C-alpha cells in the first residue's frame, strides 16, 4: 500500500490543548469512492498530547506472564492521569529499572503508553529520600522455582512450565477473542 506524502494530507483543525486532527481522503491509500474500504471514504487521525503525572513508588510486585517472563510493576501513590486513577505502572524489565535508576520510595513521572498503559518514564532525583533498591527475584514469586535470565536478553524468566501463574496466563490468552475460533 502506498502511503501519502505528508503534504497531500489536509489539516482540518489544530487545537494545541488537545492535539492535532487530520482528515485523509481514503483514495490516497488506493481506495476509490464507492469501494468497500475498511476506513470509509474519509479517515480521521488524531494525535493527542502526552499527559504525565508525578507520584511516588510505594512498592514493587512481580508479574509472571504466559511464557514465564517476570515483569516488575510499580505500586504507586494513586494519581489522576488522563481521566483515570493510576495505582500501578509497568517498569517493563530489570534493564529498564537499572537504566532509569528507579528505587522503592522514589518520586517518578508516569505517562500512558499509547494512551492506555501507565509506564514510569522518568525519575525525579532531586526529590530522592530514603529508598530501597529493586532487585530481581532469585526465585519465581508464585511457584518459588529458580529464575533464569536468557543470555543476551533483557527478560528474567520462571522456567517451571507448571507454574500456576503461567498456567493462568496461558488459559487467559487461550480464552481470548482471537484464539478460540
Amino acid at each position: 500500500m502506498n502511503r501519502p506524502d505528508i503534504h497531500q494530507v489536509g489539516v482540518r483543525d489544530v487545537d494545541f490543548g488537545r492535539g492535532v486532527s487530520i482528515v485523509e481522503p481514503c483514495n490516497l491509500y488506493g481506495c476509490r469512492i464507492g469501494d468497500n474500504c475498511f476506513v470509509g471514504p474519509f479517515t480521521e487521525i488524531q494525535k493527542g498530547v502526552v499527559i504525565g503525572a508525578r507520584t511516588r513508588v510505594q512498592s514493587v510486585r512481580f508479574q509472571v506472564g504466559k511464557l514465564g517472563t517476570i515483569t516488575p510493576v510499580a505500586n504507586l501513590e494513586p494519581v489522576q492521569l488522563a481521566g483515570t486513577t493510576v495505582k500501578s505502572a509497568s517498569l517493563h524489565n530489570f534493564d529498564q529499572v537499572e537504566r532509569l535508576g528507579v528505587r522503592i520510595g522514589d518520586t517518578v513521572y508516569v505517562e500512558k503508553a499509547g494512551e492506555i498503559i501507565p509506564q514510569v518514564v522518568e525519575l525525579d532525583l532531586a526529590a530522592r529520600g530514603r529508598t530501597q533498591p529493586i532487585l530481581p527475584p532469585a526465585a519465581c514469586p508464585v511457584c518459588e522455582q529458580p529464575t533464569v535470565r536468557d543470555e543476551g536478553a533483557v527478560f528474567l524468566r520462571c522456567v517451571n512450565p507448571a507454574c500456576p501463574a503461567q498456567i493462568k496466563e496461558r488459559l487467559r490468552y487461550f480464552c481470548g477473542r482471537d484464539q478460540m475460533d
Side-chain angles (χ1 to χ4, degrees):
M1 203 181 304
N2 197 5
R3 296 282 183 201
D5 184 77
I6 191 68
H7 301 292
Q8 293 175 319
V9 177
V11 176
R12 182 187 69 181
D13 177 32
V14 177
D15 177 9
F16 291 102
R18 197 168 153 249
V20 178
S21 297
I22 299 174
V23 174
E24 295 181 302
C26 181
N27 61 4
L28 290 178
Y29 284 88
C31 301
R32 292 186 311 262
I33 301 297
D35 283 354
N36 288 336
C37 189
F38 291 109
V39 294
F42 288 90
T43 302
E44 184 173 325
I45 301 172
Q46 292 188 344
K47 173 66 177 160
V49 177
V50 175
I51 299 171
R54 187 174 182 252
T55 187
R56 195 174 72 79
V57 177
Q58 294 178 321
S59 64
V60 173
R61 70 179 187 276
F62 302 107
Q63 184 175 302
V64 182
K66 69 180 183 285
L67 299 175
T69 305
I70 298 174
T71 304
V73 178
N75 296 318
L76 308 169
E77 287 180 353
V79 63
Q80 285 296 118
L81 183 61
T84 60
T85 302
V86 174
K87 297 179 184 176
S88 64
S90 175
L91 293 170
H92 300 292
N93 56 56
F94 294 97
D95 281 3
Q96 180 73 0
V97 170
E98 199 173 298
R99 193 174 324 136
L100 289 172
V102 178
R103 299 167 63 101
I104 297 169
D106 274 340
T107 300
V108 295
Y109 293 96
V110 180
E111 290 178 356
K112 286 200 174 180
E115 298 181 16
I116 297 173
I117 301 168
Q119 66 178 353
V120 174
V121 292
E122 193 177 342
L123 173 66
D124 185 356
L125 277 172
R128 182 173 267 176
R130 293 183 63 193
T131 62
Q132 296 176 322
I134 300 169
L135 302 174
C140 173
V142 178
C143 70
E144 299 180 356
Q145 295 293 314
T147 57
V148 174
R149 186 171 184 156
D150 298 334
E151 192 172 320
V154 297
F155 299 111
L156 186 68
R157 296 189 191 283
C158 169
V159 292
N160 177 12
C163 175
Q166 287 186 53
I167 292 170
K168 177 182 167 188
E169 290 302 316
R170 284 194 298 259
L171 185 60
R172 181 181 301 190
Y173 175 78
F174 176 74
C175 294
R177 177 183 297 187
D178 297 327
Q179 285 71 25
M180 280 189 67
D181 282 346

